[in-house]
């Protein structure tokens, strides 16, 4: 008899947050690479022996997970304070310039709401900073996609108010939540997955970019990274890097290693694309899919596992409560 359910829930929770940190840390040395990365450069990163250090993507993910666990819900004021605490302790984790400026202002006493809205001349940041950190929302509310989307939106606007940044966060959170509950032993329908993710975001750049990927991910052969990169772009804009990350997952949905390799090979914002793709792949395939060698070399991997376990315990405890 074959088991069609795939990895258990706790393993998927761990896989999601291990995916965040491993993708971030493995992709970080190539962040900003102009154009697709040759396979030998990606292999070089994998075969090195140095410790892999995480960046702002993981630091902000840790802050969000801690806030959800401490408050038992999404408390935007508390979340802003956790972001500031991490930033003040370690300002050199590679934060985006707008986010660094914003966190400096919050540290000096400004309120997050007007400060985030005033970013970039009053249109708010369209960077991927809200999407890259959002995985814990999916773990917190996985069973309820509507709630995942609503909480992702609220978590985003603490720093990023541009509609594309918010949509990027909603799309990434929804993708992780869908991957957490999908049966990993069954083939993934990439087109249906993209359509489900796109249906949670408003009309706009992110929905358009997701829609533009359908023929690529439904093809018989995986498209070359150049084709995906040309279609989505690979920059720090959420509307580029979130669809790029989902493409990396959907091109190789049954291998965590191949998803992360593919994500890095796209070039551009490699830490963030690999981190977001890794989170989705880890959520689908579980912690067993993350190579021990990568995990052992990655800074703070045990902390991400601990946070995943605590989020799993909290979600399990909530779902066991009597209704009403
Ligand atoms: O979004 P954010 O936190 O950056 C995250 C990225 C990831 O790649 C991390 O790994 C880290 O390296 O940084 O930071 P922001 O500064 O809000 O946005 C990133 C960049 O996008 C900005 O510095 C700008 O270059 C650009 N950008 C904008 N440019 C013009 N107008 C974002 N929003 C705007 C805008 O509205
Ligand atoms: Mg980073
Ligand atoms: Mg980055």
């Amino acid at each position: 008899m074959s088991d069609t359910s795939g990895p258990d829930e706790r393993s998927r929770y761990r896989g999601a947050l291990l995916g965040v940190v491993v993708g971030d840390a493995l992709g970080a040395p190539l962040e900003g690479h102009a154009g697709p990365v040759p396979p030998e450069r990606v292999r070089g990163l994998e075969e090195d022996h140095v410790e892999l250090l995480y960046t702002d993507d993981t630091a902000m993910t840790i802050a969000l997970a801690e806030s959800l666990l401490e408050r038992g819900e999404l408390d935007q004021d508390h979340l802003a304070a956790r972001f500031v605490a991490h930033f003040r302790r370690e300002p050199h984790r590679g934060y985006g310039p707008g986010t660094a400026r914003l966190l400096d202002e919050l540290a000096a006493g400004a309120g997050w709401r007007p400060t985030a809205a005033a970013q970039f001349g009053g249109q708010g940041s369209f960077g991927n900073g809200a999407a890259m950190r959002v995985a814990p929302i999916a773990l917190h509310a996985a069973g309820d996609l509507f709630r995942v989307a609503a909480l992702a939106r609220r978590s985003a606007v603490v720093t990023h108010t541009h509609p594309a940044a918010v949509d990027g966060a909603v799309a990434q959170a929804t993708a992780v939540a869908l991957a957490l509950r999908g049966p990993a032993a069954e083939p993934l329908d990439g087109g249906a997955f993209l359509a489900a993710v796109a249906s949670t975001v408003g009309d706009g750049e992110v929905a358009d970019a997701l829609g533009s990927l359908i023929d690529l991910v439904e093809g018989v052969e995986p498209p070359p990274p150049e084709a995906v990169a040309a279609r989505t772009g690979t920059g720090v804009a959420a509307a580029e890097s979130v669809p790029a990350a989902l493409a990396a997952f959907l091109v190789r949905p049954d291998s965590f290693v191949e998803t992360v390799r593919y994500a890095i090979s796209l070039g551009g914002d490699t830490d963030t694309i690999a981190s977001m793709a890794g989170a989705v792949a880890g959520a689908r395939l579980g912690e067993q899919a993350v190579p021990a060698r990568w995990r052992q070399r990655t800074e703070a991997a045990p902390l991400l596992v601990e946070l995943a376990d605590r989020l799993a315990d909290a979600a399990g405890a909530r779902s066991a409560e009597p209704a009403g």
Side-chain angles (χ1 to χ4, degrees), residues 102 105-106 110-119 122 157-158 161:
L102 173 124
E105 290 176 42
L106 301 197
W112 59 265
R113 205 182 287 274
T115 311
Q119 291 281 80
V157 297
V158 172
T161 64

Side-chain angles (χ1 to χ4, degrees), residues 24 27-28 31-32 55-57 94 96 128 132 235-236 241 268-273 275:
D24 176 22
E31 188 183 28
T55 77
D56 59 322
D57 306 53
N128 52 23
M132 72 189 186
V236 291
S241 35
D269 194 357
T270 48
D271 63 335
T272 305
I273 296 173
S275 180

Side-chain angles (χ1 to χ4, degrees), residues 266-291:
L266 293 171
D269 194 357
T270 48
D271 63 335
T272 305
I273 296 173
S275 180
M276 294 191 291
V280 184
R284 172 171 163 82
L285 302 170
E287 70 171 324
Q288 305 88 317
V290 182

